[in-house]
Every structure is written in C-alpha cells, then in structure tokens.
C-alpha cells in the first residue's frame, strides 16, 4: 500500500498544482485544468476510445511484439557467435544511430500510409535496445554456469531456454523496458504523418482545429496510457524475474 501511495503522491501533487496555478488562466493555449478535464470527459467516450485509442494500441502491440521476437532472436544468434558479433556490430551501431522518425517518409514510399507503415516504424525503433541488450546479456552469462550445464548434458535448445535466456533475462528486460517507451513515442509520431484514426492523429486534428482543451485532454490520455502500460510491464517483469528479485534481496540482506 505504501508503494502505491508513493507512486501516486507526486502525480497527484503535480495535478493539484496545475489545477491551482491554471484556475484563473485566460490564455487560449493554456486553459484551466478544469476545462481540460471537462473536455476529457466529453471527448473520450467509449465510442471515441474504440475508434481512436484501440487502433493505436493494436499497432503498438503488433510492432512491439514483433520487435521483441526479432530483437531477442537476433540477439541470441549474435551473442552466441563471436564472429557474427564482430561482423554485425558496425552495422548495428549504424542503424541504431538513425532516428526512426526520419525514416517515416521513406517507409511510406514502400509500405504506403496504412497500418503496415506504422507497425514497421515501431519495429525499427524498438528492435535496437532489445537486440543490443540481449547481446550483452548473452555475453555476460557466467562461463561456470555454461560448463556446469554442459556437464549435466544440458545442450541444444534446452541450453538456450533453461540456462542462457534466464541468465540474460534481467538485461533483456531492461531492453524491453526501453523499447516500450520508444514504442509509445513512435506510435504517436507515425499517426501524425498519415492516418485517418489513432491517438496521434486525433491530437493533431484537435490542434489544427484550435480545439485546445480537447488537444490537452488527448495528451493527458496519452500519459495515462503510458503509465498503465509501464505498470503492466513492471508487474510482468516482476513475475518473470522472481528468482532475480529473490537473489537481489538475499544479497542485500547478506550485505
């Protein structure tokens, strides 16, 4: 319960400060928070959530999961093969340095302006932190653990699923966590370029029609979605890495 209170304390304090400081605002571009919340309730009905938010979440989920599969799969292959790692590192660093939004116009030429383009943009941006963290996690697996597994006859796919992936799990989870925040950003950016629905598209439409309270309500909704997705990821991560959390707790108590 204390952790929940600590997590909510700062956001609630910031919202309270925003409410008080904006209460007498007469700025067209910075309306009072009360007006924004009223617009939020009127704008984001169940129909609006189905029409604009659900498509965005489906694109994000498709791109994120595909990036996870590609990143972890390629990361395992590169991390386990030294020659392949030496050959691939320059290329990986080159592509990682390219900001994904820059490639949106290029991707549009080949994939059009439909959902495929948006998913590809998310995949391109998310795959690199997952891939590179997987490579480093695989490289960091203790050699003694690998030799022990080999002596007990744990080889082939079992070696990967029972030894390497669990040992590299914390590092892979760190890459997945980074990729989630990138996925949310790219989801919005891809919908701002060319779309007929989605949260990013709707926010831009509000801005272009000078519906400022509605625009701010979309930004707040985007923040709430990001918070909810982050919380869900943390719960899944904690469940998947229970052994790691237990080990850290034991080390902390021993120290």
């Amino acid at each position: 319960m204390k952790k929940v209170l600590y997590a909510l304390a700062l956001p609630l304090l910031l919202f309270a400060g925003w409410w008080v400081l904006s209460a007498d605002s007469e700025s067209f571009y910075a309306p009072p928070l009360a007006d924004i919340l009223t617009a939020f309730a009127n704008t984001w009905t169940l129909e609006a959530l189905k029409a604009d938010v659900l498509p965005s979440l489906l694109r994000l989920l498709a791109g994120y999961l595909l990036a996870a599969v590609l990143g972890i799969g390629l990361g395992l292959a590169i991390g386990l093969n030294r020659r392949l790692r030496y050959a691939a590192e320059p290329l990986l660093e080159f592509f990682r340095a390219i900001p994904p939004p820059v490639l949106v116009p290029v991707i549009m030429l080949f994939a059009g302006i439909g959902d495929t383009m948006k998913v590809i943009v998310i995949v391109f941006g998310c795959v690199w932190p997952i891939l590179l963290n997987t490579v480093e996690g695989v490289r960091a697996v203790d050699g003694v653990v690998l030799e022990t597994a080999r002596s007990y006859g744990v080889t082939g796919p079992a070696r990967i699923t029972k030894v390497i992936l669990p040992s590299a799990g914390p590092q892979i989870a760190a890459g997945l966590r980074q990729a989630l925040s990138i996925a949310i950003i790219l989801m919005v950016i891809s919908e701002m370029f060319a779309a007929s629905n989605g949260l990013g598209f709707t926010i831009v439409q509000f801005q272009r029609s000078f519906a400022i309270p509605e625009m701010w309500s979309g930004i707040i909704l985007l923040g709430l979605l990001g918070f909810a997705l982050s919380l869900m990821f943390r719960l899944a991560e904690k469940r998947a890495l229970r052994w790691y959390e237990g080990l850290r707790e034991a080390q902390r108590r021993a120290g």
Side-chain angles (χ1 to χ4, degrees):
M1 187 63 181
K2 287 184 178 180
K3 291 183 178 180
V4 175
L5 293 176
Y6 284 139
L8 295 178
L10 183 58
L12 291 176
L13 184 62
L14 291 175
F15 261 88
W18 187 2
W19 182 286
V20 172
L21 293 175
S22 67
D24 299 325
S25 175
E26 297 181 357
S27 171
F28 178 77
Y29 298 104
L33 180 57
D35 294 350
I36 296 173
L37 295 180
T38 300
F40 188 100
N42 294 331
T43 302
W44 300 110
T45 60
L46 183 60
E47 291 76 13
L49 293 176
K50 289 181 179 179
D52 292 309
V53 179
L54 184 58
S56 294
L57 291 177
L58 292 176
R59 293 168 191 142
L60 184 147
L61 183 63
Y64 182 74
L65 291 179
L66 185 55
V69 171
L70 290 174
I72 295 174
L74 293 174
L76 280 171
I78 295 172
L80 292 172
N81 191 310
R82 183 178 300 177
R83 292 182 179 178
L84 181 59
R85 184 168 67 249
Y86 289 155
E89 275 184 351
L91 192 62
L92 295 179
E93 294 297 331
F94 172 79
F95 280 110
R96 186 183 69 161
I98 300 176
V102 174
L103 292 179
V104 172
V106 178
I107 296 174
M108 286 172 60
L109 295 176
F110 297 96
I113 61 173
D115 290 343
T116 302
M117 178 273 289
K118 299 169 181 61
V119 172
I120 291 175
V121 170
I122 294 172
V123 171
F124 185 84
C126 293
V127 72
W128 308 113
I130 301 173
L131 192 156
L132 294 173
N133 275 277
T134 301
V135 171
E136 293 304 317
V138 172
R139 290 182 60 188
V141 176
D142 193 343
V144 175
V145 174
L146 295 176
E147 288 299 326
T148 302
R150 185 179 295 110
S151 67
Y152 278 96
V154 182
T155 58
R159 178 170 174 262
I160 295 175
T161 58
K162 302 295 184 181
V163 180
I164 295 176
L165 277 177
S167 298
Q171 192 85 13
I172 296 173
L176 290 170
R177 193 183 310 114
Q178 295 174 24
L180 180 60
S181 60
I182 295 173
I184 296 172
I185 295 170
L186 294 178
M187 175 195 75
V188 176
I189 291 176
S190 65
E191 291 173 349
M192 287 180 173
F193 273 86
S196 58
N197 59 14
L199 190 51
F201 167 79
T202 305
I203 292 174
V204 170
Q205 290 301 108
F206 285 146
Q207 182 264 333
R208 289 175 178 173
S209 60
F210 295 97
I212 303 303
E214 288 76 10
M215 181 194 73
W216 279 107
S217 73
I219 294 173
I220 291 176
L221 178 60
L222 182 60
L224 292 174
L225 287 175
F227 176 78
L229 291 173
S230 177
L231 181 61
M232 291 171 60
F233 180 87
R234 290 182 64 180
L235 292 174
E237 179 186 24
K238 188 174 182 179
R239 183 178 180 84
L241 298 178
R242 281 178 296 181
W243 66 270
Y244 181 67
E245 296 296 332
L247 178 62
R248 289 181 61 186
E249 182 65 20
Q251 291 175 341
R252 186 184 64 82
R253 291 179 179 179

